[in-house]
Amino acid sequence: MVVWVTGASSGIGEELAYQLSKLGVSLVLSARRVDELERVKRKCLENGNLKGKDILVLPFDLTDTSSHEVATKAVLQEFGKIDILVNNGGQSQRSLFVDTSLDVYKELINLNYLGTVSLTKCVLPHMIEKKQGKIVTINSLMGIISMPLASGYCASKHALRGFFNALRTELATYPGITISTICPGPVQSNIVKNALTEETTKSIGNIGDQSYKMATSRCVRLILISMANDLKEVWISDHPFLLMTYVGQYMPTLTWWLTCKLGKRRIENFKSGVDADSSYFKPLKKKHE
């Protein structure tokens, strides 16, 4: 089985590569930073189940849609097929709308949404020809509910969810092709560190305590279970984030009120230099446990 993972240089994508390598699948690792991809490849090989020829490092930029067809042809030339495409590449946001350049919103849409759609468009014809394949997209709970400091990120993730829900219906005549949307909540990764802020060139300062978030290894384990069972949409999170998402599904008016209340605290946390969610949600998580 050939699995192509974008955003494979860190976070969920990196951990996916490690856990998939233990299952003996052939891997295609993509991201912008070739040195980080080579590091991930070396660690995958240390697991002992794969040889160098089983892992293709294929760096490219998701926002450069002109490169996607070439990248797809490179994978097919190397392995002859693509069984699973994992659309994991993307970037988050930590800034208020009124303070944020429009360029940040363009970057988030181009990377998180249009880049993913473009790569899917290149890979899908191959799967249709085979009448088989899996397209797995790592979305976010922010693609279901919305919170302040991430308006552009939420927009891109809501767009992804809508797109793949529609694409699933278009592929109803191909039961061998499955579309899975995975929506993790907060996970221990570099997503906050790498988040866009008011300008595309400005990085976030203090990322705060991340230890209260779900371990990346646990999240990826659940993602693999979801992939194996062809689940259409999966929410992966600890409480209270998961609880809030369920409330949003069944009682949206209450959720709008809650997110406005909680959003004020989130903004205060961010402005004071701590993780946007930590000081409010850690006590709730502890109480729930």
Side-chain angles (χ1 to χ4, degrees):
M1 186 169 286
V2 178
V3 183
W4 188 359
V5 182
T6 66
S9 61
S10 65
I12 289 175
E14 179 180 354
E15 182 63 26
L16 267 170
Y18 298 150
Q19 294 197 28
L20 284 167
S21 69
K22 295 176 182 178
L23 301 176
V25 304
S26 296
L27 285 171
V28 182
L29 306 178
S30 292
R32 295 174 180 175
R33 299 173 294 172
V34 64
D35 54 333
E36 288 300 302
L37 291 174
E38 292 290 353
R39 176 186 60 80
V40 173
K41 177 179 178 178
R42 287 193 297 270
K43 192 166 180 180
C44 286
L45 293 175
E46 290 173 5
N47 290 329
N49 291 333
L50 298 179
K51 297 179 180 179
K53 65 179 178 61
D54 298 320
I55 303 177
L56 173 64
V57 169
L58 185 62
F60 72 94
D61 187 345
L62 263 180
T63 61
D64 181 12
T65 55
S66 63
S67 68
H68 296 179
E69 189 65 43
V70 174
T72 303
K73 289 179 179 178
V75 177
L76 293 174
Q77 183 175 354
E78 183 73 17
F79 293 117
K81 62 177 183 174
I82 302 169
D83 294 298
I84 302 176
L85 171 64
V86 181
N87 289 312
N88 175 69
Q91 200 165 7
S92 188
Q93 177 192 8
R94 286 294 187 276
S95 60
L96 293 169
F97 171 66
V98 293
D99 301 327
T100 305
S101 166
L102 188 62
D103 289 339
V104 170
Y105 288 86
K106 292 178 180 178
E107 178 74 10
L108 288 166
I109 292 296
N110 287 335
L111 176 60
N112 296 355
Y113 176 62
L114 291 176
T116 297
V117 169
S118 172
L119 187 61
T120 300
K121 188 171 179 61
C122 292
V123 172
L124 184 57
H126 168 71
M127 293 183 175
I128 289 176
E129 184 180 348
K130 292 196 311 170
K131 297 182 179 180
Q132 190 171 5
K134 298 177 192 282
I135 298 174
V136 180
T137 301
I138 309 302
N139 200 300
S140 169
L141 291 186
M142 291 287 201
I144 303 170
I145 59 175
S146 298
M147 292 293 283
L149 301 169
S151 54
Y153 179 72
C154 290
S156 67
K157 293 299 186 177
H158 275 71
L160 274 181
R161 189 178 185 225
F163 169 78
F164 281 106
N165 281 344
L167 179 60
R168 188 184 296 112
T169 65
E170 293 183 12
L171 296 173
T173 54
Y174 298 95
I177 301 176
T178 60
I179 303 291
S180 297
T181 296
I182 311 295
C183 300
V187 174
Q188 294 175 17
S189 70
N190 290 327
I191 191 167
V192 177
K193 180 181 178 182
N194 297 329
L196 292 174
T197 57
E198 293 90 348
E199 302 288 343
T200 56
T201 56
K202 184 180 177 182
S203 60
I204 198 166
N206 179 22
I207 65 172
D209 179 23
Q210 304 290 305
S211 63
Y212 70 96
K213 299 180 178 181
M214 178 181 284
T216 310
S217 58
R218 169 66 175 162
C219 178
V220 168
R221 172 66 176 166
L222 295 173
I223 290 172
L224 291 178
I225 292 171
S226 305
M227 290 167 58
N229 288 279
D230 292 334
L231 300 183
K232 293 180 176 64
E233 181 167 293
V234 184
W235 305 350
I236 300 174
S237 180
D238 291 323
H239 291 302
F241 304 96
L242 187 59
L243 175 61
M244 281 192 64
T245 309
Y246 274 102
V247 172
Q249 186 80 357
Y250 297 107
M251 293 178 282
T253 303
L254 175 60
T255 304
W256 296 333
W257 179 82
L258 277 173
T259 51
C260 285
K261 293 292 184 181
L262 300 178
K264 292 179 181 179
R265 186 60 181 271
R266 197 170 196 260
I267 294 170
E268 290 171 2
N269 291 344
F270 175 73
K271 289 183 175 180
S272 63
V274 300
D275 182 81
D277 300 315
S278 60
S279 65
Y280 184 84
F281 283 112
K282 276 196 296 185
L284 287 180
K285 183 171 184 288
K286 185 176 180 182
K287 181 178 180 181
H288 175 78
E289 292 170 347

